[in-house]
Amino acid sequence: MDYDFSFFLAVATLVTGVIWGGYLLVLKSTGAAFDEENEPVLVEYARSFFPVVLIVLVLRSFIAEPFRIPSASMMPTLLIGDFILVNKFTYGIRLPVLNTKIIEMNQPKRGDIVVFRYPKNPAVDYIKRVIGLPGDRVAYYDKKLHINEQPVSQVSLGRYQGVGQGEDMTGNELILEDLTGVEHNILIRNGAASAEGVYVVPKGSYFVMGDNRDNSNDSRYWGTVPEENLVGKAFFIWMSWDWQHKGVGFDRIGTVLK
C-alpha cells in the first residue's frame, strides 16, 4: 500500500464521515433534535469537511487528477512547469489506495502519454509515451526506433529553440516522429550517448520512452511498466508556469495532448 495523497484523502473522508454519521446516529437513538448552534466543535468541522474531501477523493480517484511536469524528459511535448490533467478511467476504474481494478475499460495504445507509478519506486509518478505494446519487439539504434522490425518514420524539422527552464535544450534536433499513425515531435541530441538494444515487451506490460530521447530515464534503462502501475492517460494542459521565461504560458493553456 502506498501512503500517498490518495491515502490521506481516504482517511480524512473516513474519519470525518464516521464522526458526522456517528453523531447523527446518537441523535436518532436518543430522539434529540439536531441543533447546529450547539453541536460539538469536532462534529461541526467533520460536517463541514466531509463533503469536500469526499468530492475531491471521488474526482481525483475516478475522474481526473492534476500533475505538474517537473523535468525536461517529455520536451518538446511537455515543458517544465506545465500542469496537466490525467484521465483516471481510460484504462479502467481502480479503487483508491488499494489500486485494485474493479472495472475494465480500454488498453493503452501506442503513442499514448501515460502517467504511471515508477516500477523501481511506486511512490514516485513518472510520465512517458507508450512505444511498445505487449508482445512487441522494440529496437533502438542510432537514435532511431524499429517496432516489430519496421522502422519508425522520422522527419527532421531543424534545430530546437528552448526557452526558460528548457533553454539548455536549444540546439537539439527537432524531429517529427510517426508511431504508426500517431505523429508527435521528439528531441535528439546528436553526438550524445544513449542506451541501445532490442527489447521484447512481456505480456501485461508496456515499453515507454520520453520524447526528449537523450534526456529521459525510461524503459531503455529500467524495463517495462506493468499494467497495474498505470495511473492514467494525460490529455490536457490546464496551466503552464515558467518563472525563468514569462511566468504564465497563456499560449499553452488549453493544449490537448497527443
Side-chain angles (χ1 to χ4, degrees), residues 20-55:
W20 171 231
Y23 180 69
L24 292 180
L25 287 176
V26 170
L27 291 181
K28 184 177 180 179
S29 64
T30 59
F34 173 68
D35 185 357
E36 182 175 327
E37 292 185 357
N38 294 315
E39 67 178 336
V41 173
L42 184 61
V43 174
E44 179 183 358
Y45 278 115
R47 175 172 59 84
S48 300
F49 284 108
F50 173 70
V52 176
V53 293
L54 176 62
I55 290 173

Side-chain angles (χ1 to χ4, degrees), residues 4-174:
D4 56 8
F5 186 56
S6 294
F7 171 79
F8 294 108
L9 269 180
V11 170
T13 303
L14 178 63
V15 171
T16 55
V18 167
I19 293 174
W20 171 231
Y23 180 69
L24 292 180
L25 287 176
V26 170
L27 291 181
K28 184 177 180 179
S29 64
T30 59
F34 173 68
D35 185 357
E36 182 175 327
E37 292 185 357
N38 294 315
E39 67 178 336
V41 173
L42 184 61
V43 174
E44 179 183 358
Y45 278 115
R47 175 172 59 84
S48 300
F49 284 108
F50 173 70
V52 176
V53 293
L54 176 62
I55 290 173
V56 173
L57 177 65
V58 170
L59 289 176
R60 190 179 184 276
S61 300
F62 303 115
I63 309 300
E65 183 175 357
F67 286 88
R68 179 185 179 277
I69 303 302
S71 75
S73 71
M74 280 297 292
M75 288 180 65
T77 306
L78 293 169
L79 306 182
I80 300 173
D82 281 348
F83 291 80
I84 63 171
L85 287 179
V86 172
N87 187 318
K88 297 297 292 288
F89 58 84
T90 297
Y91 304 135
I93 304 297
R94 295 180 182 273
L95 293 175
V97 183
L98 299 177
N99 293 312
T100 302
K101 184 181 289 188
I102 56 175
I103 300 177
E104 292 285 346
M105 301 287 283
N106 305 308
Q107 297 298 316
K109 297 180 177 62
R110 187 176 290 111
D112 285 359
I113 300 174
V114 296
V115 170
F116 55 92
R117 296 189 303 280
Y118 179 39
K120 299 294 184 181
N121 181 4
V124 178
D125 291 319
Y126 269 30
I127 182 167
K128 305 293 178 186
R129 189 181 297 273
V130 174
I131 302 296
L133 304 178
D136 279 350
R137 181 182 175 90
V138 179
Y140 189 72
Y141 288 106
D142 299 325
K143 304 189 185 296
K144 296 183 183 298
L145 271 172
H146 289 73
I147 299 176
N148 297 325
E149 316 302 335
Q150 298 298 314
V152 172
S153 172
Q154 292 184 345
V155 178
S156 178
L157 302 178
R159 297 298 170 184
Y160 180 72
Q161 178 61 54
V163 296
Q165 296 180 76
E167 189 173 9
D168 56 350
M169 296 300 144
T170 296
N172 285 4
E173 187 175 5
L174 180 64

